Amino acid sequence: MLRKSFPILLLLLCHGTPISAHDAFYPHHREDFENMARRRELRTTVLLSTAAFLGILGTVVYVALRKSRDDRDVDEVDTKTAQTHLEHAINRAANAAQQALEAKGNIAEAATVCLTTYAEASDATWRPRAYGQPHPESLPYQIRCKIGTDVVTFSINTKVIQLKVERGLSKTGFGSQGSSKSVSATVVLERSDQRGE
C-alpha cells in the first residue's frame, strides 16, 4: 500500500511548491530588456573612460619624452658653447705666451703672460706666485695650476709651447639627474725663437 500511495504523496508535496522555469535564449521579459540597456550604457561608459585614460596617459608620456629630449638638446648646446669658449680662451693665451717668449725670451714671463691672459679670457682671477720651479729659465718648464674651476697645465720645451685646460661642467636638476660633464682643449704651438734653449 505504501507503494501505491507514494506517487500520490509525491504529487501532493510538489503541488504545494511553486515551480518556475526560465530557459529561453532570447529576452522576453521587461526586466531582461532593462538589463540589456544597462549593460550597453555601462559598456559605453567603460569604453569612454578607457579611451580618456589612454589619451591622458599618452599625453603625459609624450610631454615627459619631449622634456627629456629638450634637456638633452640644451645640455649638448651648453657643452658645445663651453667647448667653443674654452678653445678661444686657450688659443688666445697660447698666442700671448708665444709673443712674449719671442719678444723677451723670458720663459717665466711667458708663462705669467699666458696664465694671466687665460684668466682674463675665461672671466676668472689668477695671481702669479712661485710654483716651486728651481730654475725658472730651465727647460722643460711646466706649471700646473687651477684658474677658477679649470685645471691648467702650461709647458715649454725647446720645440713647443703647450697649454692644456680641463673644465668640469656640473649640472644639477631633475632633467639632467645631477650629471656632470667636462670639456678640455689643448694647444701646441711651435717655438719660432731659439733664445730659450
Side-chain angles (χ1 to χ4, degrees):
M1 176 135 153
L2 190 56
R3 283 187 188 172
K4 290 183 182 180
S5 62
F6 183 70
I8 297 172
L9 187 62
L10 188 60
L11 188 62
L12 286 174
L13 283 173
C14 290
H15 180 46
T17 307
I19 298 175
S20 64
H22 198 276
D23 61 349
F25 291 107
Y26 54 90
H28 59 280
H29 293 295
R30 190 183 73 169
E31 293 87 16
D32 294 339
F33 287 107
E34 288 174 358
N35 286 340
M36 286 176 56
R38 271 189 245 132
R39 283 186 195 141
R40 279 190 209 121
E41 290 173 4
L42 186 59
R43 186 180 309 145
T44 304
T45 303
V46 167
L47 287 175
L48 289 175
S49 299
T50 303
F53 174 73
L54 290 176
I56 291 170
L57 182 64
T59 303
V60 168
V61 168
Y62 173 76
V63 167
L65 289 176
R66 184 169 176 97
K67 174 81 171 143
S68 69
R69 183 175 42 209
D70 290 346
D71 286 347
R72 274 195 307 265
D73 292 345
V74 167
D75 286 345
E76 287 177 19
V77 168
D78 289 345
T79 303
K80 287 179 183 177
T81 303
Q83 182 72 35
T84 303
H85 288 312
L86 180 62
E87 289 171 359
H88 175 71
I90 197 170
N91 282 326
R92 188 172 149 195
N95 286 324
Q98 186 179 36
Q99 289 172 3
L101 193 60
E102 287 174 3
K104 297 185 180 175
N106 186 328
I107 294 173
E109 187 174 327
T112 302
V113 167
C114 178
L115 297 175
T116 304
T117 303
Y118 178 76
E120 290 171 359
S122 60
D123 295 328
T125 57
W126 178 78
R127 281 187 233 127
R129 58 182 180 252
Y131 286 96
Q133 190 83 6
H135 304 288
E137 293 301 318
S138 65
L139 292 177
Y141 182 86
Q142 182 172 353
I143 294 176
R144 183 178 169 96
C145 63
K146 198 165 190 179
I147 297 177
T149 59
D150 303 344
V151 176
V152 180
T153 306
F154 176 75
S155 61
I156 298 176
N157 62 27
T158 58
K159 296 180 181 179
V160 295
I161 298 170
Q162 180 175 347
L163 180 61
K164 179 180 180 183
V165 178
E166 298 170 3
R167 177 180 291 173
L169 305 173
S170 63
K171 179 87 175 172
T172 57
F174 177 74
S176 61
Q177 296 159 349
S179 64
S180 65
K181 296 181 180 182
S182 64
V183 292
S184 64
T186 303
V187 172
V188 179
L189 300 175
E190 288 186 25
R191 287 183 59 179
S192 59
D193 72 315
Q194 297 302 317
R195 287 181 283 184
E197 292 185 52

